[in-house]
Amino acid sequence: MTTAEFSLAGIVLLPLLASAVAVLLGSRVRAVLGILTALLICGLCTAVLIQTAAGGITELALGGYEAPLGIRLRADGLSALFLCLSAVVGTVVSAHAAILPASAGHPGFWPLWLGCWSGLNAVFVSGDLFNTYVGLELVGLTAVALVALGGRDSWMPALRYLFVAVLGSLLFLVGVGLILAAAGTLDMEQAAQQLAETPEAHAAAVFALCLMSVGLVLKLALMPMHRWLIPAHAGAPGAVSPLLSALVIKAALFVILRLWLWVMPLDATTEAETGLAEGLSTALTALAWTLGGFGALAVILGSVMALRQDRLKPLVAYSTVAQVGYWFLFLPLLLDPEAGALEGQPGTTLAEDAVLSGALSGSVALALGHGVAKAGLFLAAGLLKELWGTDEIESLRGAGRRHPLLILSMGLCAVGLIGLPISLGFTGKWHLATSAVAAEHWWIIAVLVLGTLLSAGYLLRGIAPLLLQDAKDPQDQEHDAAQDADASAESPRRQRLAEVPAFVLGLLTVLTGFLAVGIDALMGVGAPW
Amino acid sequence: MEVFAGEGAALWYLLLGSLVAVAGTVRLLLARDLLARLVAMNVVGIGSLLVLLSLGARAESAAPDPVLSALVITGLVITVAFTGLGAVLIRRIEGIHDAEHAPDQAADGDQISSGQNSSEQDSSSTEGGRDS
Amino acid sequence: MTDLIPSAVLPWIPLVMVVLSLAAAVAIFPMGERRVRLRSWVNLSAAVAKVLLVVLLVPAVVAEGTRPEFSVPFLPLGEGESIDLVLRVDPLALFFAGLSALLWLLTTIYAIGYLERGSDRSRFFGFFSLCVTATVGISFSGNLITFLVFYEILTLVTYPLVAHWGDEKSLRAARMYMRYALSGGVAVLIGVIWLTMYAGPVDFAEEGGAEGVAALAAESPGVAVTIFVLLVGGMGVKAALVPLHSWLPSAMVAPAPVSALLHAVAVVKAGVFGIVRVIDDVFGIEVAEELGVLGPLLAVACFTVLYGSYQAMRQTELKKRLAFSTVSQVSYVVVGVSMVSALATAGGVVHLVHQGIMKITLFFCAGLFAEVIRAHTIGELRGAGRRMPWTSAAFTVGALGMIGLPPTAGFVTKWQLGLGALDAGQGWVVLVLLGSSVLNAAYFLPVVWMLWFAEPEGESGEAPDAGASDEAPQPEGEPQREKEPGALVVPAVITAVATLAVGLGAALSFAPLQVAEAIAEAVFR
């Protein structure tokens, strides 16, 4: 077993073990355990990352059983990227929760979060759909419980989330069953091969893809199915919302990417010329366009809704709904046979396969950038709510005077979410836009432009009033004093320190903007083309 | 009754499962009472598992696919875990309702919350068993 | 001359110059409000160091033709290739960087004096330094992507500066600025994406534009024209070309040093600088001419020149009048570069510097009038000349420069542009220049008259009790001489002197005009 293989197992099992141990410990020791686990996960992640960056796919058959019966863990470029996201965001948010226990809501945070982390990593390194399903469920179950930590106002949202999560899982599960029946295996690689070779299984596979996509999209809160997300993410405790928005929904996204690009033999289903295949290809194209259309809808309507919020956390939650839309815009490109028409033509600078791989890297970069930036923004918003007792933008006027670092962090995160340079948000939009131009899908450009401007609008609306200085208004100062008295539960030094994690995420939002080339190279490891 | 054996039976179960699942979904979306929704959620679960089982029976080999059975069993366990969590949440939410009428009971909240956490942990480690 | 900087160090200098002000910003942000001395020290030493670096680069770049370059991979392009962030120093870059370095130093001195009793100074100076970082980045950008990156950063970091006072009005103005600038930025982004698709990553080419773009223009002129419109239109927002200018007058609520910087070197200038780059170094002036895009641009620019002047005349508030004057004056640059003539291009390019020096003088003075005698409208300036002679003298020089009277910098520009217009066979532009000069005179001369020749209205009028006179009791009826704070008045006087100096010494080597001519010659080579 090499270091990378050992790390692959450790990354899943370690947090699970820690989660179990944490239940037995007192609440203070839990935080210490949590931080230790986080650091170890970072180390393990680095090992996997190094192996992947060197161009190798790490594989491990647990217990020595090979597929189809055994469980195979597998990390390619996509896995490595999402693993790193969860390691970085998870560690920073854990640090925040350790510094300011109030932000975790309840000591139950630690076992639940560590369990959730294990589930996330399991999804990211899973080589078969069974394992993916179990990981997704672990994530869903713990996420619901984490939302419920927010106190009585969050119980109802948590229940709503639970119903949605279960419905989504069951749809996914039936899809998994269909794939198993069609391909005879749940191992993703083998299933892809089987499906590509047996045209008669395509109908079942396409139907499975429909079911699974709908199920996952429910968990991901794509536009018409987004209602549950707002109260759940806005009502969760300060340290939980960032995890939900940055990581939990990414698990579903990751599975969608895997299914569409790695498992489905899209070329085989769209290129066959029999009558049935034609029907299937139409169905697939329709599905892709529906999801892409929902994505566009989400970007625009989600942003408009965000513009209309008067409270900070719901605003940030709606921004998540809007950003989710971006990750679906590239699907119609996948099935457009004309998409790569310009590749290699004289007069352009496109390389072979540049359009699709660009669109995919762009979407992944957007998702990763969103993870870091949204975690930072939610942390900051949660902390403000913690300190001021409210997240109404109107009552937070002038908060910037007392928390300049926090506002700066929010500004940096906003750069990433709007998609301004230098950030992964910019890189992602650049990629997506270049691919869209090359494939002559102009609607994507329109959505990107509208989304960018609207997001600047709602983020400014949320952040700018914090810069207002009403120092001359004595009433407000009294108000400030009252808020101060409220917040004195934690020592001022701790409060200052608690601003640091959000700032770290803000800085990372900008610094990761320089990693675009590396991310693209990683995406090439184990790419579907 | 040829239809109720072999391939035919599987087809019937497939239809039945789908019907149950769809009915449950409709109820889940329309019901207002929380407990009714929780039950509906379980109905959807049973319907989906039925569909899965029938898929396994449709396979040409004589013995049902072991992987599918494992899938169904895991699905069952997970649905149970979710149902438990849902039940705890519903009890809490109803508890608020009661507390509004009798404010003294509000102090119960913490007690329930710790209970919820340990049961929560149990269920997650059950799944973990499959993982390791 | 090479001994001045070892050649191994040379490529790092552009990076060092960008990092220098970035480091200053990072150092300043966490400083306590009261560490005035330390903050000023950091600010000034970074600014001085930057001026020195520019001076060191001048002989190597302008005389010897070396092009220090630093690059780092940024966006992947597939097949292991990437679009790089490139910092490269060519004469035009150095020209703009020199202006920003010099004016940063002066504005910093001014701002330290101006905000002596203000609040949130660490934030202010932090973002101020970031603003300069972005400006230097823009000037050294070696390709469109790098330009775009710094261009957007500039938008962002100016926002807190415009919103500095934190009242409703500032925030509204800042929001408007953001809305305009971001929309423009998006247009530029789409243009850059599109261009990259067809022509690959486009490096700024000093001599006659990039090859890929020329091929594109020959093959599908429609696409090339659309890209040109997107790029220039997007940059036109920052350059305040009519009808994209309305954010500029409302951004006047910002503190005086910010307005000065915004108008003279940072935002507005970044816009025109970008337009110059696009016309001369991306498309190349011949290609642009063949595409037929220069004529319409020239018309828009001429209209902006006249419309800005006309609006300026109608303003009674001094800062608003100056703002519209900027709208008008900055367009001279566009007028110059959109005429096909080396003389005109030189006139446009040199106006980058000339307008900067003159306008910053005027804004320094406007800030002084507002601070010392609380004069915000032109009527309130009655008789200010005797109360604030240094300020008023500097203002007068700046105003005469704007009108274009010899021997000021403004005259040099207009003369050059006029020659260029004749050379390019666009005689009507001379009429526009003359008309604009008349309008300039019509809105600046009354102010000058007000300063020196109008009798103060009433005895004390708006005069505040602060700034008591240290001279002997004045004769009855004479207004008191106000104390003009040194930190504020010295930069104003220096820029006023510079306005005269660059006009008088236009023929000396390394004078702005000479450098501009060299740049223009390269464009037409």
Side-chain angles (χ1 to χ4, degrees), chain A residues 19 23 71 106 131 137 155, chain B residues 78 92 113 117 121 130-131:
Chain A
S19 161
V23 182
I71 297 169
H106 188 276
N131 215 3
E137 292 311 286
W155 293 338
Chain B
I78 287 171
R92 282 181 172 197
S113 116
N117 268 309
Q121 220 29 64
R130 168 72 183 72
D131 242 343

Side-chain angles (χ1 to χ4, degrees), chain C residues 335-348:
Chain C
V335 169
V337 293
S338 53
M339 288 190 285
V340 190
S341 148
L343 287 171
T345 304

Side-chain angles (χ1 to χ4, degrees), chain C residues 367-409:
Chain C
L368 269 160
F369 288 134
E371 278 298 288
V372 179
I373 58 172
R374 309 270 156 228
H376 298 282
T377 63
I378 289 150
E380 288 165 358
L381 287 174
R382 273 173 184 281
R386 269 164 285 175
R387 293 166 68 189
M388 304 173 64
W390 285 106
T391 314
S392 303
F395 188 90
T396 308
V397 171
L400 295 182
M402 284 292 173
I403 299 167
L405 291 182
T408 59

Side-chain angles (χ1 to χ4, degrees), chain C residues 69-94:
Chain C
E69 183 177 318
F70 173 88
S71 70
V72 57
F74 182 55
L75 291 170
L77 205 59
E79 299 189 340
E81 286 184 40
S82 66
I83 305 174
D84 298 346
L85 280 184
V86 180
L87 296 175
R88 188 194 297 117
V89 190
D90 60 13
L92 181 58
L94 196 61

Side-chain angles (χ1 to χ4, degrees), chain A residues 320-385:
Chain A
T320 300
V321 170
Q323 300 265 334
V324 166
Y326 285 126
W327 312 331
F328 287 89
L329 295 180
F330 81 105
L331 282 180
L333 283 185
L334 270 186
L335 287 161
D336 182 358
E338 300 289 311
L342 275 175
E343 283 169 7
Q345 296 285 318
T348 70
T349 52
L350 286 171
E352 275 308 302
D353 285 332
V355 173
L356 289 190
S357 71
L360 177 63
S361 314
S363 304
V364 170
L366 275 171
L368 297 176
H370 170 260
V372 178
K374 185 51 66 63
L377 196 57
F378 248 137
L379 261 195
L383 188 57
L384 276 178
K385 190 177 182 181

Side-chain angles (χ1 to χ4, degrees), chain C residues 96-252:
Chain C
F96 193 50
L99 174 75
S100 75
L102 194 68
L103 297 191
W104 183 35
L105 178 58
L106 293 173
T107 315
T108 306
I109 299 172
Y110 186 87
I112 291 171
Y114 187 84
L115 288 176
E116 218 167 10
R117 290 174 303 277
S119 57
D120 299 304
R121 279 168 292 174
S122 284
R123 185 182 83 198
F124 179 86
F125 282 105
F127 280 109
F128 203 71
S129 299
L130 283 181
C131 188
V132 176
T133 310
T135 312
V136 174
I138 284 176
S139 59
F140 286 159
S141 296
N143 58 22
L144 270 174
I145 298 291
T146 319
F147 179 85
L148 181 73
V149 165
F150 285 109
Y151 190 79
E152 299 286 9
I153 293 177
L154 181 64
T155 306
L156 274 175
V157 297
T158 346
Y159 175 84
L161 290 177
V162 176
H164 181 73
W165 296 131
D167 50 12
E168 283 288 354
K169 205 176 157 204
S170 309
L171 280 182
R172 206 170 325 119
R175 195 159 57 227
M176 182 168 179
Y177 163 65
M178 199 72 176
R179 207 176 295 153
Y180 269 82
L182 275 182
S183 312
V186 167
V188 177
L189 175 63
I190 295 175
V192 175
I193 286 174
W194 207 349
L195 192 61
T196 310
M197 286 320 304
Y198 283 100
V202 176
D203 270 9
F204 292 146
E206 276 171 67
E207 290 162 19
E211 279 171 30
V213 183
L216 171 68
E219 232 171 77
S220 38
V223 175
V225 169
T226 317
I227 292 174
F228 184 87
V229 171
L230 279 171
L231 291 177
V232 171
M235 291 170 185
V237 173
K238 277 212 173 105
L241 285 177
V242 175
L244 309 169
H245 66 285
S246 5
W247 64 271
L248 186 59
S250 79
M252 285 289 76

Side-chain angles (χ1 to χ4, degrees), chain C residues 17-48:
Chain C
M17 285 183 65
V18 173
V19 171
L20 196 63
S21 25
L22 184 66
V26 171
I28 289 169
F29 272 124
M31 276 185 203
E33 268 312 298
R34 286 183 201 82
R35 324 262 331 241
V36 178
R37 190 175 287 244
L38 179 62
R39 188 169 51 227
S40 310
W41 189 83
V42 170
N43 254 322
L44 288 177
S45 44
V48 169

